[in-house]
Amino acid sequence: MAVVIWQNAPAMALEVGCFDGITPAEELAEHGNLGVGAFDQLDGEMVGVDGVFHQVLADSRAAPAPPGASLAFCMVVDYTGGDPLPLPPDTTQHTLPAVLDGHGVSPNLVYTLRIDGTFADLRTRCVRPQSRPYPPLAEATRTQTEFAYDRIAGTMVGFRTPAYVGHIMPPGHHLHFLSADRTVGGHVLSFGGVDGTVTVEHVDRHDICYPDTGDFPHTVVPG
Ligand SMILES: [Zn+2]
């Protein structure tokens, strides 16, 4: 069966400050069991693991998205797993691409990634809720909260995309973290000293919405 990423809006919508929630969190499970995203008003990072879609607030605390929550941006896929590949212990976010290349991953295609393990060094960030008029994302993340963990077990999920996807999908490796006890998480800034495995799943197709509701149709997008 084809593996399909479902995405609620182009990444550019988030970049230009379209932070209102346009997708109910309850809808995410219809599109898959793994995902990343950002909540309404940028109030938290979304990390979907094993079919549970968590909201990670600015204080890094994670909990399943409450009823009525909605997503400004999200990418969700039905992840079916695969053979876990052991990661070299010195793997970092910088060396991960080469590690994956060594396993035959193409730089031109899109993949779902899942890393399970213990991380000697991990840095995450969480966005802070924004209010109207919304700033561009780059401005909003200037006040992000950042967290450093010395040794923490958990799961990273997300996507690897080629640079050519531009402003449609976040390019490169976009990973969100959820601790093994499911209590903290965030958008991954960096990691190292990993004792764990990665699974990589090729994505066949990308199903993206171009919403004609919310702010995006009327927001000035840089050329
Ligand atoms: Zn993120």
Side-chain angles (χ1 to χ4, degrees), residues 1-2 13 16 28 68 77 85 93 95 104 107 127 130 160-161 182 201 214:
M1 208 167 89
V16 297
L28 299 180
V77 72
L85 308 166
Q93 78 281 5
T95 63
V127 285
Q130 305 291 310
R160 165 177 161 136
T161 66
R182 306 299 196 242
E201 187 167 56

mmCIF file of all heavy atoms in Angstrom, residues 1-2 13 16 28 68 77 85 93 95 104 107 127 130 160-161 182 201 214:
data_model
loop_
_atom_site.group_PDB
_atom_site.id
_atom_site.type_symbol
_atom_site.label_atom_id
_atom_site.label_comp_id
_atom_site.label_asym_id
_atom_site.label_seq_id
_atom_site.Cartn_x
_atom_site.Cartn_y
_atom_site.Cartn_z
ATOM 1 N N MET A 1 0.838 -1.197 0.000
ATOM 2 C CA MET A 1 0.000 0.000 0.000
ATOM 3 C C MET A 1 0.875 1.251 0.000
ATOM 4 O O MET A 1 1.899 1.270 0.666
ATOM 5 C CB MET A 1 -0.896 -0.002 1.241
ATOM 6 C CG MET A 1 -2.186 0.750 1.020
ATOM 7 S SD MET A 1 -3.380 0.431 2.336
ATOM 8 C CE MET A 1 -2.943 1.705 3.490
ATOM 9 N N ALA A 2 0.473 2.239 -0.745
ATOM 10 C CA ALA A 2 1.289 3.458 -0.849
ATOM 11 C C ALA A 2 1.358 4.179 0.494
ATOM 12 O O ALA A 2 0.368 4.258 1.220
ATOM 13 C CB ALA A 2 0.684 4.390 -1.904
ATOM 14 N N ALA A 13 2.844 28.808 4.751
ATOM 15 C CA ALA A 13 1.764 29.416 5.527
ATOM 16 C C ALA A 13 2.229 29.680 6.957
ATOM 17 O O ALA A 13 1.964 30.744 7.529
ATOM 18 C CB ALA A 13 0.529 28.514 5.507
ATOM 19 N N VAL A 16 4.898 32.571 7.162
ATOM 20 C CA VAL A 16 4.411 33.959 7.087
ATOM 21 C C VAL A 16 3.446 34.295 8.224
ATOM 22 O O VAL A 16 2.853 35.377 8.226
ATOM 23 C CB VAL A 16 3.765 34.278 5.719
ATOM 24 C CG1 VAL A 16 4.780 34.153 4.602
ATOM 25 C CG2 VAL A 16 2.545 33.403 5.463
ATOM 26 N N LEU A 28 -6.546 14.076 13.054
ATOM 27 C CA LEU A 28 -5.219 13.599 12.660
ATOM 28 C C LEU A 28 -5.166 12.081 12.500
ATOM 29 O O LEU A 28 -4.509 11.568 11.588
ATOM 30 C CB LEU A 28 -4.168 14.056 13.679
ATOM 31 C CG LEU A 28 -4.028 15.574 13.836
ATOM 32 C CD1 LEU A 28 -2.951 15.895 14.864
ATOM 33 C CD2 LEU A 28 -3.703 16.229 12.492
ATOM 34 N N GLY A 68 -10.846 19.594 21.358
ATOM 35 C CA GLY A 68 -11.013 20.956 20.856
ATOM 36 C C GLY A 68 -9.732 21.579 20.349
ATOM 37 O O GLY A 68 -9.759 22.659 19.762
ATOM 38 N N VAL A 77 1.557 10.801 8.807
ATOM 39 C CA VAL A 77 1.712 9.658 7.900
ATOM 40 C C VAL A 77 1.338 8.380 8.638
ATOM 41 O O VAL A 77 1.460 8.320 9.873
ATOM 42 C CB VAL A 77 3.179 9.583 7.377
ATOM 43 C CG1 VAL A 77 4.141 9.136 8.477
ATOM 44 C CG2 VAL A 77 3.293 8.679 6.158
ATOM 45 N N LEU A 85 17.554 0.132 12.222
ATOM 46 C CA LEU A 85 18.989 0.112 11.930
ATOM 47 C C LEU A 85 19.718 0.680 13.144
ATOM 48 O O LEU A 85 19.355 1.754 13.632
ATOM 49 C CB LEU A 85 19.290 0.988 10.710
ATOM 50 C CG LEU A 85 18.467 0.700 9.455
ATOM 51 C CD1 LEU A 85 18.611 1.830 8.443
ATOM 52 C CD2 LEU A 85 18.921 -0.627 8.856
ATOM 53 N N GLN A 93 22.828 15.084 14.851
ATOM 54 C CA GLN A 93 21.945 15.562 13.794
ATOM 55 C C GLN A 93 22.729 15.906 12.539
ATOM 56 O O GLN A 93 22.188 15.892 11.433
ATOM 57 C CB GLN A 93 21.097 16.749 14.279
ATOM 58 C CG GLN A 93 21.801 18.079 14.335
ATOM 59 C CD GLN A 93 22.677 18.231 15.570
ATOM 60 O OE1 GLN A 93 22.832 17.298 16.360
ATOM 61 N NE2 GLN A 93 23.248 19.406 15.735
ATOM 62 N N THR A 95 25.527 14.212 11.489
ATOM 63 C CA THR A 95 26.026 13.018 10.803
ATOM 64 C C THR A 95 24.897 12.069 10.386
ATOM 65 O O THR A 95 25.137 11.131 9.629
ATOM 66 C CB THR A 95 27.036 12.252 11.677
ATOM 67 O OG1 THR A 95 26.363 11.790 12.861
ATOM 68 C CG2 THR A 95 28.203 13.142 12.082
ATOM 69 N N GLY A 104 21.468 3.496 1.878
ATOM 70 C CA GLY A 104 20.812 3.559 0.575
ATOM 71 C C GLY A 104 19.678 4.542 0.464
ATOM 72 O O GLY A 104 18.869 4.465 -0.467
ATOM 73 N N PRO A 107 19.049 11.141 -1.585
ATOM 74 C CA PRO A 107 18.897 12.554 -1.225
ATOM 75 C C PRO A 107 17.727 13.226 -1.940
ATOM 76 O O PRO A 107 17.343 14.336 -1.583
ATOM 77 C CB PRO A 107 20.227 13.187 -1.654
ATOM 78 C CG PRO A 107 20.750 12.285 -2.718
ATOM 79 C CD PRO A 107 20.267 10.901 -2.373
ATOM 80 N N VAL A 127 7.836 26.368 20.946
ATOM 81 C CA VAL A 127 7.384 27.708 20.609
ATOM 82 C C VAL A 127 6.491 28.240 21.733
ATOM 83 O O VAL A 127 5.938 27.484 22.517
ATOM 84 C CB VAL A 127 6.626 27.701 19.272
ATOM 85 C CG1 VAL A 127 7.597 27.564 18.120
ATOM 86 C CG2 VAL A 127 5.585 26.603 19.242
ATOM 87 N N GLN A 130 1.353 32.756 20.462
ATOM 88 C CA GLN A 130 1.403 34.076 19.836
ATOM 89 C C GLN A 130 0.008 34.685 19.813
ATOM 90 O O GLN A 130 -0.993 33.966 19.883
ATOM 91 C CB GLN A 130 1.928 33.947 18.402
ATOM 92 C CG GLN A 130 3.269 33.254 18.312
ATOM 93 C CD GLN A 130 4.394 34.086 18.903
ATOM 94 O OE1 GLN A 130 4.539 35.265 18.575
ATOM 95 N NE2 GLN A 130 5.188 33.488 19.775
ATOM 96 N N ARG A 160 12.412 13.384 6.536
ATOM 97 C CA ARG A 160 13.599 13.834 5.814
ATOM 98 C C ARG A 160 13.134 14.209 4.411
ATOM 99 O O ARG A 160 12.556 13.380 3.694
ATOM 100 C CB ARG A 160 14.628 12.710 5.744
ATOM 101 C CG ARG A 160 15.718 12.950 4.711
ATOM 102 C CD ARG A 160 16.723 11.824 4.758
ATOM 103 N NE ARG A 160 17.506 11.765 3.547
ATOM 104 C CZ ARG A 160 18.831 11.582 3.556
ATOM 105 N NH1 ARG A 160 19.475 11.454 4.684
ATOM 106 N NH2 ARG A 160 19.474 11.494 2.422
ATOM 107 N N THR A 161 13.387 15.445 4.035
ATOM 108 C CA THR A 161 12.953 15.907 2.722
ATOM 109 C C THR A 161 14.117 16.576 2.005
ATOM 110 O O THR A 161 15.029 17.110 2.634
ATOM 111 C CB THR A 161 11.795 16.920 2.842
ATOM 112 O OG1 THR A 161 12.284 18.095 3.484
ATOM 113 C CG2 THR A 161 10.639 16.361 3.642
ATOM 114 N N ARG A 182 6.712 9.871 28.109
ATOM 115 C CA ARG A 182 5.687 10.701 27.454
ATOM 116 C C ARG A 182 5.364 11.982 28.239
ATOM 117 O O ARG A 182 4.247 12.500 28.148
ATOM 118 C CB ARG A 182 4.371 9.911 27.241
ATOM 119 C CG ARG A 182 4.524 8.586 26.492
ATOM 120 C CD ARG A 182 5.070 8.814 25.104
ATOM 121 N NE ARG A 182 4.897 7.687 24.220
ATOM 122 C CZ ARG A 182 5.898 7.009 23.647
ATOM 123 N NH1 ARG A 182 7.158 7.324 23.898
ATOM 124 N NH2 ARG A 182 5.661 6.027 22.805
ATOM 125 N N GLU A 201 11.376 5.032 6.396
ATOM 126 C CA GLU A 201 10.362 4.509 5.483
ATOM 127 C C GLU A 201 10.162 5.479 4.321
ATOM 128 O O GLU A 201 9.859 6.658 4.530
ATOM 129 C CB GLU A 201 9.039 4.316 6.234
ATOM 130 C CG GLU A 201 7.992 3.625 5.388
ATOM 131 C CD GLU A 201 6.802 3.165 6.225
ATOM 132 O OE1 GLU A 201 6.190 4.010 6.903
ATOM 133 O OE2 GLU A 201 6.499 1.968 6.209
ATOM 134 N N GLY A 214 -9.036 30.678 6.664
ATOM 135 C CA GLY A 214 -7.975 31.221 7.501
ATOM 136 C C GLY A 214 -7.255 32.370 6.811
ATOM 137 O O GLY A 214 -7.762 32.980 5.855
#
